[in-house]
Amino acid sequence: MTNETQTGEQIDGFHLLIDALKLNGLDTIYALPGIPITDFTRMAQAAGIRLISFRHEQHAGNAAAAAGFLTGKPGICMTVSAPGFLNGLTALANATTNCFPMILISGSSEREIVDLQQGDYEEMDQLAIAKPLCKAAFRVLHAQDIGVGVARAIRSAVSGRPGGVYLDLPAKLFAQTMDAGAGKKSLIKVVDPAPKQIPAPDAVQRALDLLKGAKRPLIVLGKGAAYAQADADIRALVEKSGIPYLPMSMAKGLLPDTHNQSASATRSYVLAEADVVMLVGARLNWLLSHGKGKTWGGANADTRQFIQIDISPTEMDSNVPIAAPLVGDIGSCVSALVAGMGAGWAKPPTDWTQGIAERKDKNISKMAETLAANPPVMNFHSALNVIRNAVKARPDAIVVNEGANTLDFARSIVDMYEPRKRLDVGTWGIMGIGMGFAVAAAVTTGKPVIAIEGDSAFGFSGMEVETICRYNLPVCVIVFNNNGIYKGTDKNPNGGDVAPTVFVKDARYEMMMQAFGGVGVRATTPAELAKALDEAVKSGKPTLINAIIDETAGTESGRITSLNPQAAKKK
Ligand code: ADP
Ligand code: TZD
Ligand code: MG
């Protein structure tokens, strides 16, 4: 065979994969080495890819997912076969659930042995297992197909509704060689991986007509709106329309939470009373009570109409009828709406906006009183007031947040000022994202990261404080230590073992960070917490603050008690 691209030099699978990733601007890999990818991680690092090596694959996967959300490029996670793959799979499924683009690349055993179930080292049919849990799954068997495999993975992850993609690479592939020139030619630089999807003009008009007739309109911004990086268009839509808006938790900061159109402080009122609701990158799932029931009761319960902007056409009518579906990418949809509003757009009736403003003011001053109180034992409010002030002073800091009470209180107390600065438990309400998300936030942005962690939540990924120290990342972890899940006061009425929700009392979490050379502080007062947090943010040193919280202060299941039948009965 003659081929003008043939050079006589050879290239192997390892280097084809590295080159394919680099060609597409994928410059960071979150990984955990071992057979068959150990050499790959070394070679990737040598080739200038940032290789962040974790202590458990789930956290490497979570880091890749958060990187995907923050950058709009798929985050790359790399694991070994079977158990490593399975450890990463939770993160892949969670990323898909959250609509975050990531690619989980796993080494795997040889097909011949796996398919005959002959018992290879870490044998598992990984592709089959991954398939139902992610957006797309591919396997590459030949070195010359690595370029195509990576290209397909990238496109699948970021086009349309973003999600997780699995790429299966059997061990033998890495060592396969081919002519270097032909290899180079086989790689694909993906052009326009997430193409705009322009909404149909009649769909835009339908939405505008509905909005125009509304007496009590409401905009709900979801994390899809944050992901879309259409910040200026979204601000223009909100401000030009004059419509009150509610940010879902990861959409906080798209407009500053202090914006006068934010209705967060009177959330239940606006959900119950709105007559036309426009969802922008937010699904009507459990987090919005499926668009029906008590939350959406009020005078307009039977006549309320929804407009939904989403890139996924099949999201429409998932829970309630959508009167005006607007299918397209958020940037294109929102800018079309703004253009269509024209110059003479009438703002919503003042009885609606005034009513909201009054309720809001009342609730905000009530909250201010609670936040100012300084009870003898630090509680969620007095501790979060400190963090609220710290974020106000450093609006570029990224907040990572998980737990139950620690999550619910932080979400409502800590105002956000900039887009994509809040990362949390997302659609599943999953525990364990903390340290992985924090690492990715620090690595992709270089900004200070403040991880607000319930003591239970922190436990899921706590070992990654070593990773944070190893890469000297500007992460300050604040463990809200109330001695347990929800609270630390449960007793086993029968004696014997302690109750299932309580932990060792007064655990010294700060020593975990000290163990790896970071700063550890135990804080029992808001003043101590403020000082330690200020120093952490200024120095950028890995820090863990063990914030001692009144163990009686929390409530069971935080704010989702209604989903916990036993606790709801007790209430
Ligand atoms: P939240 O939890 O904040 O309410 P969801 O995760 O439920 O948000 O909803 C996000 C929605 O945003 C998904 O339905 C997804 O399809 C959509 N989405 C994501 N990116 C875009 C985009 N660029 N343009 C339009 N819709 C998007
Ligand atoms: N496991 C996983 C993966 N996700 C979950 N959401 C849970 C278990 C159940 N769960 C919650 O929903 S919140 C929570 C668990 C275990 C921990 C709450 O305790 P915390 O927070 O200490 O983190 P507070 O402040 O004490 O309420
Ligand atoms: Mg707790």
Side-chain angles (χ1 to χ4, degrees):
M1 187 176 76
T2 55
N3 184 332
E4 63 197 53
T5 58
Q6 288 199 350
T7 58
E9 270 175 60
Q10 295 283 301
I11 187 167
D12 59 19
F14 290 109
H15 290 92
L16 283 165
L17 179 59
I18 291 167
D19 290 351
L21 295 172
K22 284 175 71 175
L23 184 65
N24 286 289
L26 301 173
D27 54 10
T28 306
I29 299 177
Y30 303 92
L32 205 160
I35 295 171
I37 63 156
T38 318
D39 281 338
F40 176 85
T41 58
R42 291 193 189 107
M43 292 174 190
Q45 191 174 50
I49 287 183
R50 183 112 200 251
L51 206 296
I52 306 289
S53 185
F54 280 73
R55 305 297 296 259
H56 188 290
E57 291 87 353
Q58 187 174 128
H59 314 308
N62 284 329
F69 170 74
L70 290 170
T71 65
K73 287 195 291 189
I76 306 294
C77 174
M78 194 147 186
T79 74
V80 303
S81 350
F85 156 79
L86 286 174
N87 284 345
L89 199 54
T90 303
L92 185 71
N94 187 49
T96 308
T97 302
N98 280 336
C99 314
F100 297 166
M102 73 170 276
I103 301 172
L104 173 67
I105 306 177
S106 288
S108 60
S109 310
E110 304 315 340
R111 294 310 316 157
E112 304 81 330
I113 305 179
V114 175
D115 290 346
L116 278 170
Q117 299 175 27
Q118 293 176 309
D120 204 357
Y121 168 69
E122 298 191 346
E123 173 185 301
M124 176 175 276
D125 190 359
Q126 295 167 198
L127 186 74
I129 289 162
K131 236 174 215 170
L133 297 171
C134 60
K135 195 177 161 194
F138 305 100
R139 175 185 292 132
V140 180
L141 290 177
H142 303 294
Q144 63 266 31
D145 293 330
I146 287 175
V148 170
V150 169
R152 301 217 75 192
I154 293 172
R155 263 193 205 286
S156 303
V158 297
S159 63
R161 169 181 281 177
V165 175
Y166 176 60
L167 190 58
D168 191 81
L169 304 182
K172 262 202 304 221
L173 177 78
F174 292 102
Q176 272 181 36
T177 58
M178 66 184 289
D179 176 80
K184 191 160 183 231
K185 210 176 163 208
S186 72
L187 302 183
I188 296 173
K189 185 169 166 47
V190 180
V191 176
D192 196 12
K196 279 190 181 170
Q197 292 189 27
I198 313 293
D202 59 331
V204 174
Q205 197 51 53
R206 193 184 295 120
L208 283 170
D209 290 345
L210 206 52
L211 270 188
K212 217 175 281 172
K215 304 246 169 336
R216 304 187 143 212
L218 175 70
I219 294 173
V220 177
L221 301 174
K223 60 180 168 308
Y227 172 78
Q229 302 204 12
D231 310 336
D233 290 324
I234 288 168
R235 183 185 266 269
L237 173 73
V238 170
E239 292 184 343
K240 188 165 182 185
S241 70
I243 297 173
Y245 74 95
L246 266 187
M248 300 300 287
S249 84
M250 283 181 60
K252 277 163 69 75
L254 255 175
L255 291 98
D257 279 332
T258 47
H259 196 283
N260 65 1
Q261 284 172 255
S262 167
S264 288
T266 180
R267 185 178 193 271
S268 3
Y269 174 72
V270 290
L271 289 179
E273 296 302 324
D275 63 350
V276 174
V277 178
M278 178 155 74
L279 303 158
V280 185
R283 286 168 284 186
L284 273 179
N285 55 19
W286 69 281
L287 287 158
L288 283 169
S289 309
H290 306 281
K292 49 198 173 190
K294 211 167 117 207
T295 307
W296 297 88
N300 298 305
D302 297 330
T303 51
R304 179 176 299 115
Q305 290 187 291
F306 287 94
I307 301 166
Q308 183 161 24
I309 302 181
D310 207 290
I311 203 154
S312 170
T314 53
E315 184 56 39
M316 307 300 159
D317 309 324
S318 62
N319 287 269
V320 296
I322 301 298
L326 194 47
V327 175
D329 70 277
I330 283 166
S332 302
C333 292
V334 168
S335 57
L337 287 174
V338 173
M341 281 175 170
W345 183 265
K347 302 257 155 122
T350 46
D351 67 325
W352 175 231
T353 47
Q354 278 299 321
I356 292 172
E358 279 158 27
R359 282 174 174 81
K360 208 177 121 171
D361 289 348
K362 218 169 85 192
N363 291 343
I364 288 175
S365 25
K366 230 191 317 182
M367 178 59 97
E369 268 171 48
T370 317
L371 290 178
N374 194 357
V377 186
M378 190 154 64
N379 63 12
F380 290 101
H381 291 85
S382 59
L384 285 165
N385 190 39
V386 169
I387 303 174
R388 172 186 162 95
N389 292 334
V391 173
K392 191 172 181 184
R394 277 305 297 263
D396 60 331
I398 294 169
V399 169
V400 173
N401 190 194
E402 59 180 335
N405 293 278
T406 304
L407 175 88
D408 293 338
F409 286 122
R411 188 178 50 226
S412 59
I413 292 171
V414 179
D415 285 335
M416 304 306 299
Y417 300 86
E418 296 179 6
R420 293 171 298 283
K421 297 294 187 187
R422 191 186 148 85
L423 302 171
D424 68 25
V425 301
T427 303
W428 265 349
I430 192 173
M431 298 298 115
I433 49 84
M435 298 306 103
F437 278 17
V439 167
V443 166
T444 56
T445 71
K447 301 286 186 191
V449 178
I450 302 171
I452 309 171
E453 300 275 314
D455 51 346
S456 165
F458 173 68
F460 287 74
S461 66
M463 190 64 203
E464 301 297 343
V465 296
E466 190 276 330
T467 309
I468 290 168
C469 288
R470 187 161 21 104
Y471 293 97
N472 194 24
L473 299 173
V475 175
C476 178
V477 182
I478 305 173
V479 175
F480 275 56
N481 187 357
N482 62 351
N483 296 333
I485 300 177
Y486 314 133
K487 38 168 73 182
T489 49
D490 256 16
K491 296 265 180 304
N492 175 355
N494 303 317
D497 287 342
V498 295
T501 55
V502 302
F503 297 150
V504 166
K505 300 273 182 202
D506 198 24
R508 301 294 300 274
Y509 291 104
E510 76 280 12
M511 294 169 84
M512 289 176 67
M513 197 60 109
Q514 292 166 353
F516 304 108
V519 178
V521 180
R522 182 171 179 273
T524 58
T525 63
E528 287 170 6
L529 173 57
K531 180 165 176 283
L533 176 54
D534 185 56
E535 278 167 16
V537 171
K538 280 197 182 119
S539 70
K541 282 189 196 148
T543 301
L544 191 151
I545 306 172
N546 181 10
I548 309 302
I549 302 293
D550 182 352
E551 65 171 5
T552 67
T555 55
E556 177 125 347
S557 305
R559 295 236 180 111
I560 52 172
T561 313
S562 60
L563 300 180
N564 175 347
Q566 288 310 320
K569 240 190 278 169
K570 270 190 258 165
K571 253 198 161 175

